[in-house]
Amino acid sequence: MTHLVTHDDPTRLLHAYLDGELDPVNTLALEARLARDPRLAAGLSQLETLQRMIRESLPREAPSAALRGRIEAAIGVRPRREFTWRALAAGVAIAAVVAGGSTALLTGASATELVRREVVAGHIRAVMAARPVDIASADVRVVAPWFDGRHAAAPHVVDLAAAGFPLLGARLDVVNEAAVPTLVYRDQTHLISVTTVPVAAGQALAPVQSRLGGYNVTRWIENGDCYWVVSDATNDEIDRFTRVFRVADND
């Protein structure tokens, strides 16, 4: 409920009125008083003139990027990103993947297909995000322990920089309503996500390639885990990455 604010000196309300800070009830009450009080109306006119002079002589300056960043960090606002056609394309791709996942549910698609769609959607979300990782580091000794307390089974983090695939970091994705670990590498121009999803013990599968939503996907199963590699790199590049990753992961 709005209460009418009364003042022995109504000029105290003029600043709030000029700044648009009064609620509708008190705005109407003050305007009614202004209509019947010439001295109060003259005071408002003087304030309006003073406010206009200040704005003309002291134009408002936009905050610097550094100040804006500190303020946004302090209040938990994620940095805004400029529009890019790549982001738009990624948005279209993730919409197509999500829509395909809904169709897959209706048509009784296999569990593997549903996982594939969720893994690819996770990669696309990462591409669209301000950064594609939750922990950014090229140091295996930093990335590996980051999973402690965040996931029951931390992945084997390997350093592939010598092969041309430096580690960018890691993140947690969601597959089948459960958190799964994802390592993020890159080649010269592409991000490469490696998501590990647990499977029943005893299964094994050689690498199998496919394509979904404009992204190349490779999966294989070993040591009780299904590995999913997603990237817009070429199949040949993903095949080379898969070979060096599997060798390093088994060392």
Side-chain angles (χ1 to χ4, degrees):
M1 179 178 180
T2 302
H3 297 280
L4 182 64
V5 179
T6 59
H7 282 281
D8 294 334
D9 183 5
T11 59
R12 296 179 180 179
L13 296 176
L14 294 180
H15 291 281
Y17 176 77
L18 278 176
D19 293 337
E21 296 175 351
L22 288 182
D23 59 80
V25 171
N26 284 288
T27 295
L28 291 174
L30 182 62
E31 289 176 344
R33 189 157 184 173
L34 284 167
R36 64 176 186 268
D37 188 337
R39 292 182 60 187
L40 188 63
L44 176 62
S45 178
Q46 291 176 353
L47 286 176
E48 288 175 332
T49 300
L50 178 60
Q51 188 181 71
R52 183 173 60 256
M53 292 175 62
I54 291 174
R55 287 176 176 172
E56 291 174 351
S57 59
L58 298 172
R60 182 176 298 178
E61 295 184 6
S64 66
L67 176 59
R68 185 184 298 112
R70 290 198 298 272
I71 294 173
E72 291 179 344
I75 63 177
V77 176
R78 297 185 65 178
R80 293 171 294 179
R81 296 189 301 148
E82 297 297 325
F83 170 85
T84 65
W85 287 107
R86 181 178 182 180
L88 176 61
V92 172
I94 196 170
V97 169
V98 171
S102 301
T103 302
L105 285 172
L106 293 173
T107 58
S110 69
T112 298
E113 176 60 18
L114 296 177
V115 170
R116 185 175 76 123
R117 293 184 179 279
E118 290 189 332
V119 168
V120 172
H123 176 81
I124 298 174
R125 280 191 294 270
V127 170
M128 295 175 65
R131 62 178 189 173
V133 293
D134 296 329
I135 173 69
S137 178
D139 191 337
V140 171
R141 296 167 297 180
V142 173
V143 175
W146 178 82
F147 287 101
D148 294 343
R150 292 182 171 85
H151 194 269
H156 184 195
V157 185
V158 294
D159 185 353
L160 304 179
F165 301 106
L167 176 68
L168 291 185
R171 67 175 185 268
L172 289 177
D173 285 329
V174 177
V175 173
N176 288 334
E177 300 182 354
V180 293
T182 296
L183 303 176
V184 182
Y185 297 84
R186 66 174 175 84
D187 62 5
Q188 292 183 349
T189 57
H190 305 93
L191 292 179
I192 302 174
S193 294
V194 184
T195 301
T196 306
V197 180
V199 295
Q203 296 187 49
L205 177 70
V208 176
Q209 293 184 339
S210 62
R211 188 169 176 82
L212 178 64
Y215 292 87
N216 290 316
V217 183
T218 294
R219 72 180 177 99
W220 72 92
I221 299 175
E222 60 184 337
N223 302 323
D225 288 311
C226 184
Y227 294 84
W228 294 84
V229 177
V230 183
S231 178
D232 57 353
T234 65
N235 274 328
D236 288 343
E237 192 72 353
I238 293 180
D239 183 59
R240 188 171 75 86
F241 171 85
T242 299
R243 291 198 304 271
V244 298
F245 181 90
R246 296 185 72 192
V247 170
D249 192 46
N250 288 309
D251 284 347

